[in-house]
């Protein structure tokens, strides 16, 4: 297997506080890689650096072999790297189906002049996008609420919708931020099953930051443990759970 993402000697400080310290790891193509660590370990910071939300101070990020260290989130989106958020970011006054239709970039209808000069092309493209959205919303199991305002969906349904939005593009890799947060157990199973299907059937690579260890155990191999801004250990979840250094990092030196 080759690497989809390579994080090389990345460092990041905020003022005098160094949050990421010589951090290096690879995300293999086709994997579902988990990232865990105690509070303050730097998980969110390295996640946001990879996603292009905040700049790194030094080091390098490669996406599918290409240096993307200086690219913004919008530029990374066009390169096939997408992310979800711990709190879903839906267009609350649009339907679930319309939320999906908003995702594909560079739609002809976004330019008002095209609606006058190229109405047939605009309509044809919109039909294609709608058909794709119909397929995606059925795939993720939200067809029954496709005409419901997204703001009225439950927390779990909004997370599913965010996952569906990643399918409206040619995503190579998806970063999942606390996808289990605020989701009931039934919809959490739907989320987990959809991630596994997208990985298996569509070949999408995932990096998952998550506190729900049962979800990490079901989804992720390998698992990266971050502590004090760098990688402590990496491996299968069974080995991680039995690693004394990991136990101490989470619970202190007095942990049994």
């Amino acid at each position: 297997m080759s690497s989809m993402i390579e994080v090389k000697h990345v460092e990041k400080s905020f003022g005098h506080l160094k949050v990421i310290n010589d951090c290096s790891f690879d995300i293999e193509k086709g994997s579902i890689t988990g990232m865990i660590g105690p509070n303050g370990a730097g998980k969110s910071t390295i996640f946001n650096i990879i996603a292009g939300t905040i700049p790194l101070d030094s080091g390098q990020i490669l996406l599918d072999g290409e240096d993307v260290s200086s690219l913004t989130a919008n530029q990374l989106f066009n390169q096939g790297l997408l992310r979800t958020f711990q709190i879903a970011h839906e267009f609350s006054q649009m339907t679930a189906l319309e939320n999906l239709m908003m995702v594909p970039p560079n739609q002809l209808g976004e330019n008002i002049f095209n609606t006058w000069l190229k109405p047939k092309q605009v309509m044809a493209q919109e039909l294609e996008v709608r058909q794709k959205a119909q397929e995606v919303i059925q795939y993720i199991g939200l067809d029954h609420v496709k005409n419901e305002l997204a703001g009225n969906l439950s927390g779990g349904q909004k997370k599913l919708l965010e996952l569906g939005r990643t399918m409206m593009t040619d995503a190579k890799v998806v970063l999942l931020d606390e996808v289990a947060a605020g989701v009931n157990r039934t919809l959490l199973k739907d989320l987990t099953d959809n991630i596994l299907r997208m990985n298996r059937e569509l070949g999408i690579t995932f990096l998952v930051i998550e506190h729900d260890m049962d979800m990490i155990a079901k989804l992720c191999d390998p698992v990266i443990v971050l502590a004090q801004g760098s990688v402590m250990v990496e491996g299968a979840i069974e080995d991680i759970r039995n690693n004394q250094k990991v136990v101490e990092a989470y619970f202190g030196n007095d942990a049994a």
Side-chain angles (χ1 to χ4, degrees), residues 86-98:
Q86 182 175 352
I87 299 174
H89 287 56
E90 77 283 354
F91 297 103
S92 60
Q93 296 304 307
M94 301 177 72
T95 68
L97 189 67
E98 289 168 343

Side-chain angles (χ1 to χ4, degrees), residues 46-57:
I46 194 67
F47 189 91
N48 286 323
I49 289 172
I50 295 171
T53 306
I54 60 175
L56 47 72
D57 292 339

Side-chain angles (χ1 to χ4, degrees), residues 11 19 24 42 86 114 122 140 148 170 190 192 233:
E11 302 206 349
V19 180
S24 298
Q86 182 175 352
N114 285 334
V122 170
I140 60 176
E148 183 67 57
D170 296 323
D190 291 342
T192 304
V233 66

Side-chain angles (χ1 to χ4, degrees), residues 46-89:
I46 194 67
F47 189 91
N48 286 323
I49 289 172
I50 295 171
T53 306
I54 60 175
L56 47 72
D57 292 339
S58 62
Q60 194 176 34
I61 306 289
L62 301 182
L63 174 63
D64 205 7
E66 180 181 346
D67 189 343
V68 295
S69 306
S70 61
L71 297 190
T72 65
N74 287 340
Q75 291 169 321
L76 287 167
F77 175 88
N78 291 325
Q79 295 284 333
L81 187 149
L82 289 76
R83 68 165 296 175
T84 67
F85 294 86
Q86 182 175 352
I87 299 174
H89 287 56

Side-chain angles (χ1 to χ4, degrees), residues 110-148:
E110 294 173 2
N111 187 322
I112 190 170
F113 295 107
N114 285 334
T115 62
W116 298 336
L117 302 175
K118 302 177 181 178
K120 290 184 180 180
Q121 293 96 316
V122 170
M123 184 173 295
Q125 186 184 58
E126 184 172 335
L127 287 174
E128 289 178 6
V129 172
R130 179 175 289 274
Q131 178 61 36
K132 174 74 171 178
Q134 293 273 15
E135 294 170 1
V136 168
I137 208 162
Q138 188 169 16
Y139 187 97
I140 60 176
L142 289 181
D143 190 59
H144 62 295
V145 293
K146 66 182 180 183
N147 296 319
E148 183 67 57

Side-chain angles (χ1 to χ4, degrees), residues 1-5 26-34 63-64 171-174 195-208 219-222:
M1 295 179 70
S2 58
S3 296
M4 177 62 74
I5 295 174
D26 289 356
I27 306 297
E28 298 297 330
K29 285 184 180 178
S31 71
I32 304 178
T33 299
L63 174 63
D64 205 7
K172 295 179 182 179
V173 56
V174 175
I195 293 165
L196 289 168
R197 285 178 64 202
M198 290 168 66
N199 173 254
R200 182 175 61 250
E201 297 174 5
L202 305 177
I204 297 175
T205 302
F206 289 91
L207 172 60
V208 184
L219 279 178
C220 301
D221 186 18

